[in-house]
Amino acid sequence: ATEAMAFIGLLDVFGFEIFEVNSFEQLCINFANEKLHQFFLKFVFKMEEQIYTEECISGIKIEYADNQPCIELIEKPPMGIFKLLDSQCKTPKATDLKFCAQVYQEHGKHPCLLVPKRRPREDVEFTVKHFAGDVRYACANFMEKNNDTLHPDFEAALSASSNGVIKQMFEPKDGGKAKKSGTFNSVSRRFINDLDSLMSDLNATYAHFVR
């Protein structure tokens, strides 16, 4: 068995974003902050409980505002906001407005989704109650920004590049099989996978927070 690698990692946590117009990028960033905030809470209160145990103090229940509902609203299969977005991106003749309408249809009663008292004829935005505040997300261009699909001919040309880095980035996957034309490549899915990998590393280490 190989020995576990010892390392020191530095994570610069980017700030929560609330702009006048918030789009797909802000949802990704704010979702990452939700996950990191949850890690921070669990880590801090776990340390507190450990101190109480070591000092033989019992009967103290630590309560805190859990943001798991917001996390599930955004990512939980099969109807989380990102999952709905992927589904719409793969649906013929889908639009950003149809995606937005589906968010309300599936999550209209969710505690972390704010439903306006007077909704316009067409839903053009939705509001998520994050731990740091309520953020309105404009649905325009969500589908375009989530679709990172490249034409197979373009990928083939890049995989044949004389530049080693570019060639490696676009070399055929799955045992050399070329992608089928039009295969959907989700930005949000890749973002969640990368974030899950980061969270796995954080949960496997001892954290120290510096303000």
Side-chain angles (χ1 to χ4, degrees):
T2 58
E3 295 184 1
M5 182 183 67
F7 69 94
I8 296 175
L10 297 177
L11 174 61
D12 182 12
V13 180
F14 35 73
F16 196 84
E17 290 192 354
I18 306 178
F19 298 135
E20 185 174 344
V21 177
N22 303 281
S23 187
F24 176 75
E25 299 89 344
Q26 279 67 53
L27 181 59
C28 290
I29 291 172
N30 293 340
F31 173 67
N33 276 292
E34 289 283 357
K35 299 279 278 193
L36 293 170
H37 180 67
Q38 184 183 62
F39 171 78
F40 170 79
L41 289 177
K42 288 185 175 180
F43 183 85
V44 168
F45 289 117
K46 184 178 180 180
M47 285 182 58
E48 288 292 321
E49 290 174 349
Q50 183 178 349
I51 292 173
Y52 291 147
T53 300
E54 292 173 352
E55 297 185 358
C56 299
I57 301 175
S58 60
I60 299 178
K61 184 179 180 181
I62 302 176
E63 296 183 357
Y64 60 92
D66 187 7
N67 64 335
Q68 181 64 25
C70 184
I71 290 174
E72 291 181 352
L73 168 66
I74 298 173
E75 75 163 346
K76 185 178 180 180
M79 295 299 179
I81 291 176
F82 281 145
K83 300 299 181 182
L84 293 177
L85 181 59
D86 283 350
S87 176
Q88 286 294 318
C89 286
K90 292 183 285 188
T91 301
K93 298 183 180 180
T95 65
D96 293 314
L97 296 181
K98 289 181 180 179
F99 155 67
C100 192
Q102 193 175 19
V103 170
Y104 281 109
Q105 179 182 339
E106 298 294 339
H107 303 290
K109 296 182 179 180
H110 195 285
C112 293
L113 183 75
L114 289 180
V115 180
K117 292 182 179 179
R118 293 185 178 181
R119 287 167 59 183
R121 281 188 174 182
E122 293 182 313
D123 294 309
V124 295
E125 63 184 23
F126 59 89
T127 301
V128 176
K129 295 179 65 175
H130 291 282
F131 76 90
D134 301 344
V135 183
R136 290 186 303 162
Y137 295 100
C139 295
N141 302 319
F142 255 66
M143 291 180 58
E144 179 182 355
K145 292 176 178 179
N146 187 50
N147 191 348
D148 198 30
T149 305
L150 298 176
H151 193 282
D153 292 344
F154 182 58
E155 289 196 22
L158 292 174
S159 66
S161 172
S162 59
N163 185 300
V165 175
I166 295 178
K167 183 179 179 68
Q168 183 178 8
M169 288 174 60
F170 292 93
E171 62 184 4
K173 304 293 190 299
D174 301 325
K177 295 180 181 179
K179 282 185 178 180
K180 293 182 180 180
S181 178
T183 301
F184 173 62
N185 188 11
S186 168
V187 174
S188 62
R189 184 171 63 245
R190 188 169 69 249
F191 182 81
I192 289 176
N193 290 341
D194 290 344
L195 185 57
D196 286 344
S197 178
L198 171 63
M199 301 311 299
S200 295
D201 288 342
L202 290 176
N203 285 304
T205 59
Y206 184 86
H208 179 70
F209 298 94
V210 179
R211 183 181 291 273

